[in-house]
Amino acid sequence: MSRDSKLLGLLPIAGLILLWGWLAASGMAPKALLPSPVAVAQRLVELLGQGDFWAHIATTLFRLVTGFLIALVAGTALAILSASSEVTQTAVNAFVRILAPLPKIALYPAMILILGFGHSSKIALVAIEAAFPIYLATYQGMRNVDQKLIWAARSAGASRLHCLLFVMLPAAAPSILTGARVALVISCIVVFLSEMMSSTEGLGYVLIDAARNFRTIDMFVPIILISALGLGLGAGLSALRKRLLTGYPQA
Amino acid sequence: MSRHLPSICAGLVLLLMWQLAHLSFGLSGLPGPMAAFAALPELISDADALYDIGQSLQRMAAGYLLAAAFGISFGLLMGTSPLAERLLNPLIMMIYPIPKAALMPILMIWLGIGDMSKILVIFLGSSLPIIYHSWQGGRSVSQIVVWSAAAMGMNRAQRLFRIVLPAALPEIFIGLRTGLILALITMVVSEIVARSNGIGNLLFNSMDMALYDRMFAAIIIIAAMGYALDLIFEAIRRRFLRWSDQQDQIQVAVG
Amino acid sequence: MIAIEHLSKRFKTAAGKDHLALSDINLELQSGEFVSIIGPSGCGKSTLLYMIGGFVPASDGKILIDGRPVTGPGPDRGPVFQEFALFAWKTVLQNIAYGLRLQGKSKPEAEERARVLLRMVGLERFANFYPKELSGGMKQRVAIARTLAYNPEILLMDEPFGALDAHTRTHLQRDLLRIWEEHRKTVLFVTHSVEEAVYLSDRVIVMAAGPGRIARIIPIELERPRQRSELMFDRRYQEYITEIEGMIDAFEAAAA
Ligand SMILES: Nc1ncnc2c1ncn2[C@@H]1O[C@H](COP(=O)(O)OP(=O)(O)OP(=O)(O)O)[C@@H](O)[C@H]1O
Ligand SMILES: [Mg+2]
């Protein structure tokens, strides 16, 4: 994308912030309900100067990234298992069909019950939610690998396992990364929600705490930060994608 | 029947695992599946609770349908107009990772805890995936097909509704599915956050009061909602996508 | 030597019926022979090749390679597909070295041999390119080199030049003949071009459809090495082409 079109994309965002600022300044909404963007920005900077606020960010980031990575490994491993034979494919997909339509967030209280109120229940929820898109994307990707690619490798003397790991998996890499992209957004949403529902730390907790005490301005800050985390991690994933997919068509 | 056999077996295995977890946990902690199902009739026969659930579903339907109408039009606009795409892409990417249920406290302050704030938050929660996938679907419609339609004399509106929309439909349905699940989740979470009536509140109240049988009964109800919505959605999707080769894919239940 | 006896192939259709794709194929190929298969679309040429490759199991009958039955793919038979089927995530050199690495050769050793093959197909300047950065003809050269690299005794080529333009095609035909003259592998070559079949082969197998079967086998008794430019003026060459084309037309008319 060119520089010009990047600037173009910033227009609506700038417009939105201006509208917000105008609404806040016009006095139509009381300050307590709608703080001005400048005030929110100042508060953000102020909070970023405090050590324990960084601890909240670190907590959220830790839960998010750990859950996401577990999902990435588990989802991919399951897809490999599923692609390895008819029997495993039927078995794994039977469980997926049962579990996919289930709103996993409803299981969250059960996870708290089993894993406690600390990190692990949040990480577990993120991992479960994020594992499905990764599994499905990897599975579809491996299934759609050109048969002839596998045949060519088998003729050259590759074993079934070798084909699975070094032909089908790399051939599915673009879809794995697409699945990871979706999973990352989900991880952001889920980690935040889990912290809102039950936690004593993390950005979600910061928001709920501010809401309980009617500190409107402090409710905006964590929302801005989770969006920034999502954008930052997404950009990281895009960069990784570019690196990993050199050679692939339409990378 | 035989097609569903593996899934039924998987379901039984999961119930068995639940039972085993219950046994290894001791009686006080995790209730077993029997106890949870036993608590179900009481919950369902409670008229107030049922009414609340009905209300929740109505709000969800309102928010979701609005999101579908808005998301598809908006997404297709982005998919067919490069200018709209360049303008809006960063904005969409910025607000996609924001959990919309997190806006609930703010919306509650602005709009009160009534239907408005809940419908709005469900609308926000489900519209982004619908916009995103409609956009991707619209984008990937082959330019050549659109040109051929133009050459046949179709005007812009006709091309949009008769060519782009059907061609983008499989992708749009992926967005609608994701949006549906997100609507359900947003509904549950916003009820938890707002601590107002509804199934989400039922779930967390039971947890807080350590009524774990009830809590799991509520989980079963939410799961049942998930399955019911999924079945209805699948039936509709199959009708619309008979021609498509994506008919039999397992869809990502995202959210 | 390849010996095919009473080979047939049935597919289950989606409706659950049996579809006889190939019926009672009998064929013998001598070592070092270049044999082409030609026939209408859907007569089972690819299926026959895939069965010899060991990718698809036979329904009935036997395929023997030097007396041993085929049970799966193996490095004694190298396939070349119309769709190239290169590994997109590997460079040209890595693609060619792939089979050698699988056979346990060290990396420098495999790459050295890969470079020899790269020179043979005239792509030494493109060693570090990715497949997507090559033209169709170049991709097919890489695919051929990748297969030749692990030195199979038998080449199974399924319309390898089908996706290429006429000019590139002529070039690759000439290159293939040159390489074949040098190494004398057994080649089974599926094509839709009668001209190509006659130019390249020792024998041309004409198949008919419904069910797929061998209709005729025509030995091509033109001297080698062959020059396309000279063959153009050779009456026997023209007669072979006319004869086979007439045959295919007749079978199609009979089937209709
Ligand atoms: N996987 C399959 N399942 C069912 N039927 C198949 C399958 N593969 C091939 N067939 C059938 O087998 C027959 C032969 O197919 P094949 O691809 O071998 O033809 P072909 O001679 O290579 O045709 P072409 O010249 O178009 O490549 C066809 O009638 C086809 O419908
Ligand atoms: Mg074929």
Side-chain angles (χ1 to χ4, degrees):
Chain A
M1 213 187 268
S2 72
R3 232 188 125 79
D4 251 15
S5 65
K6 268 195 182 138
L7 285 179
L8 201 62
L10 290 179
L11 279 180
I13 298 175
L16 214 62
I17 294 175
L18 280 178
L19 178 73
W20 169 14
W22 175 77
L23 271 177
S26 72
M28 265 189 290
K31 255 210 174 58
L33 289 191
L34 186 68
S36 76
V38 179
V40 171
Q42 276 170 348
R43 182 69 180 148
L44 177 66
V45 172
E46 187 188 329
L47 283 175
L48 286 179
Q50 295 173 6
D52 45 342
F53 191 73
W54 277 102
H56 285 301
I57 298 180
T59 301
T60 301
L61 194 62
F62 167 70
R63 290 167 174 170
L64 194 167
V65 172
T66 314
F68 173 75
L69 289 179
I70 292 175
L72 190 63
V73 173
T76 314
L78 275 177
I80 294 173
L81 181 69
S82 182
S84 67
S85 80
E86 291 278 327
V87 180
T88 50
Q89 178 179 323
T90 313
V92 174
N93 280 340
F95 282 96
V96 170
R97 266 176 221 278
I98 287 278
L99 291 174
L102 185 85
K104 263 73 67 185
I105 214 142
L107 297 176
Y108 184 46
M111 288 176 198
I112 294 177
L113 209 57
I114 297 172
L115 299 170
F117 285 90
H119 288 314
S120 33
S121 53
K122 280 96 195 160
I123 292 174
L125 185 66
V126 171
I128 289 190
E129 287 275 24
F132 281 91
I134 293 176
Y135 167 77
L136 286 169
T138 310
Y139 168 73
Q140 304 280 11
M142 287 177 82
R143 263 175 57 125
N144 291 342
V145 171
D146 184 1
Q147 264 291 312
K148 313 244 158 96
L149 223 52
I150 299 165
W151 289 353
R154 295 275 290 151
S155 288
S159 66
R160 268 175 205 286
L161 185 67
H162 179 102
C163 269
L164 211 55
L165 296 180
F166 299 109
V167 177
M168 292 171 77
L169 199 60
S175 28
I176 300 176
L177 286 164
T178 307
R181 172 101 230 194
V182 175
L184 188 65
V185 174
I186 291 167
S187 303
C188 289
I189 295 179
V190 170
V191 75
F192 200 93
L193 293 183
S194 72
E195 289 176 350
M196 278 173 70
M197 286 186 285
S198 121
S199 181
T200 49
E201 45 185 343
L203 290 173
Y205 165 74
V206 171
L207 179 115
I208 276 298
D209 190 46
R212 286 196 191 119
N213 300 303
F214 292 100
R215 292 195 317 265
T216 323
I217 192 165
D218 284 356
M219 292 162 60
F220 282 85
V221 173
I223 290 179
I224 291 172
L225 280 175
I226 192 72
S227 163
L229 276 187
L231 279 178
L233 291 171
L237 199 61
S238 293
L240 188 69
R241 186 190 174 97
K242 259 208 190 106
R243 269 197 76 101
L244 286 181
L245 297 191
T246 35
Y248 288 77
Q250 97 240 297
Chain B
M1 185 62 210
S2 66
R3 205 163 68 88
H4 295 292
L5 193 62
S7 289
I8 294 170
C9 291
L12 290 177
V13 170
L14 288 173
L15 284 179
L16 192 70
M17 278 163 63
W18 180 3
Q19 179 68 25
L20 287 178
H22 159 64
L23 290 178
S24 64
F25 234 71
L27 290 174
S28 59
L30 186 75
M34 312 270 217
F37 278 102
L40 209 50
E42 187 202 338
L43 213 59
I44 297 178
S45 60
D46 182 347
D48 285 347
L50 268 188
Y51 177 77
D52 287 347
I53 294 173
Q55 291 285 302
S56 304
L57 284 176
Q58 267 179 30
R59 286 190 292 262
M60 182 182 140
Y64 177 68
L65 291 178
L66 279 173
F70 172 75
I72 295 175
S73 345
F74 202 74
L76 284 184
L77 174 73
M78 283 178 72
T80 47
S81 150
L83 180 67
E85 177 172 42
R86 285 193 312 187
L87 266 174
L88 297 169
N89 177 9
L91 184 65
I92 298 288
M93 285 302 136
M94 194 176 80
I95 50 185
Y96 202 175
I98 298 177
K100 305 310 167 305
L103 302 174
M104 195 59 198
I106 297 178
L107 293 177
M108 271 159 52
I109 295 180
W110 288 351
L111 305 170
I113 52 169
D115 283 354
M116 266 294 276
S117 53
K118 285 178 190 152
I119 292 178
L120 183 61
V121 88
I122 291 170
F123 167 79
L124 290 173
S126 48
S127 53
L128 268 145
I130 301 177
I131 293 175
Y132 181 79
H133 287 279
S134 306
W135 164 31
Q136 297 298 327
R139 241 170 94 98
S140 58
V141 177
S142 150
Q143 194 64 54
I144 298 167
V145 175
V146 179
W147 283 340
S148 329
M152 285 178 222
M154 285 195 191
N155 64 30
R156 213 185 138 80
Q158 282 174 320
R159 291 200 301 265
L160 191 63
F161 285 103
R162 307 245 299 262
I163 306 293
V164 178
L165 183 64
L169 215 50
E171 183 76 27
I172 291 177
F173 267 102
I174 295 180
L176 285 174
R177 156 70 62 92
T178 311
L180 184 66
I181 304 286
L182 272 180
L184 184 60
I185 288 169
T186 313
M187 177 188 97
V188 173
V189 176
S190 65
E191 285 168 358
I192 294 172
V193 172
R195 287 289 160 139
S196 68
N197 41 23
I199 185 74
N201 192 38
L202 205 65
L203 179 67
F204 262 63
N205 259 347
S206 316
M207 182 170 84
D208 289 348
M209 293 192 290
L211 298 172
Y212 295 131
D213 295 1
R214 247 175 106 89
M215 177 181 110
F216 275 91
I219 292 180
I220 293 172
I221 292 178
I222 297 176
M225 284 179 175
Y227 289 125
L229 289 174
D230 193 64
L231 278 179
I232 298 169
F233 187 88
E234 254 322 273
I236 296 175
R237 194 177 65 96
R238 268 169 201 275
R239 276 204 83 88
F240 273 95
L241 293 187
R242 277 212 194 111
W243 52 271
S244 158
D245 52 4
Q246 298 195 2
Q247 275 223 19
D248 224 24
Q249 278 180 13
I250 318 175
Q251 295 285 314
V252 195
V254 165
Chain C
M1 194 193 73
I2 309 176
I4 298 173
E5 296 165 12
H6 304 296
L7 185 72
S8 67
K9 177 71 191 174
R10 259 176 233 100
F11 285 108
K12 270 258 180 293
T13 61
K17 288 212 193 125
D18 264 354
H19 170 66
L20 188 59
L22 280 174
S23 150
D24 196 28
I25 304 288
N26 293 286
L27 185 64
E28 270 198 20
L29 265 76
Q30 302 307 318
S31 294
E33 202 180 7
F34 199 124
V35 174
S36 287
I37 304 179
I38 201 159
S41 186
C43 71
K45 306 180 291 293
S46 299
T47 306
L48 176 60
L49 224 61
Y50 297 164
M51 285 195 292
I52 300 172
F55 310 127
V56 170
S59 304
D60 272 310
K62 274 192 290 200
I63 303 172
L64 302 169
I65 311 271
D66 293 332
R68 281 185 306 277
V70 167
T71 52
D76 54 335
R77 286 148 291 149
V80 177
F81 301 107
Q82 182 176 7
E83 305 89 346
F84 320 134
L86 296 174
F87 304 124
W89 55 95
K90 288 180 186 289
T91 62
V92 165
L93 195 69
Q94 289 165 341
N95 261 287
I96 299 175
Y98 177 78
L100 296 161
R101 295 284 286 145
L102 277 177
Q103 292 176 352
K105 294 244 177 357
S106 73
K107 200 168 166 182
E109 209 181 334
E111 290 195 348
E112 197 185 300
R113 166 120 177 94
R115 279 187 198 285
V116 173
L117 280 146
L118 216 47
R119 207 164 311 126
M120 190 194 283
V121 294
L123 288 175
E124 53 269 70
R125 282 176 30 241
F126 298 91
N128 295 319
F129 279 50
Y130 282 100
K132 72 163 177 191
E133 296 160 333
L134 304 180
S135 72
M138 289 155 89
K139 280 183 200 158
Q140 195 56 286
R141 283 172 209 258
V142 175
I144 293 173
R146 180 181 64 179
T147 301
L148 288 175
Y150 55 86
N151 206 14
E153 281 137 48
I154 300 164
L155 287 179
L156 302 171
M157 309 181 87
D158 190 2
E159 299 185 42
F161 307 147
L164 308 177
D165 65 90
H167 183 72
T168 311
R169 203 178 165 120
T170 321
H171 265 277
L172 287 192
Q173 287 168 349
R174 197 194 53 208
D175 293 349
L176 178 65
L177 265 194
R178 195 197 70 225
I179 294 168
W180 178 78
E181 302 275 0
E182 229 169 279
H183 299 274
R184 284 290 168 159
K185 301 200 175 296
T186 314
V187 182
L188 201 52
F189 188 99
V190 171
T191 176
H192 276 289
S193 156
V194 177
E195 229 197 306
E196 182 173 71
V198 174
Y199 168 41
L200 296 174
S201 317
D202 297 320
R203 284 191 290 163
V204 174
I205 297 173
V206 181
M207 289 182 65
R213 60 193 186 275
I214 294 178
R216 291 285 282 279
I217 299 181
I218 297 124
I220 308 293
E221 280 149 358
L222 298 168
E223 303 70 35
R224 295 191 187 265
R226 297 174 188 166
Q227 290 290 333
R228 203 159 178 277
S229 49
E230 288 171 16
L231 285 180
M232 290 303 216
F233 301 101
D234 190 323
R235 270 208 32 221
R236 289 172 306 157
Y237 176 69
Q238 303 294 351
E239 278 166 9
Y240 278 127
I241 293 174
T242 326
E243 183 191 349
I244 294 171
E245 273 174 354
M247 225 178 265
I248 293 172
D249 286 348
F251 291 135
E252 265 174 19

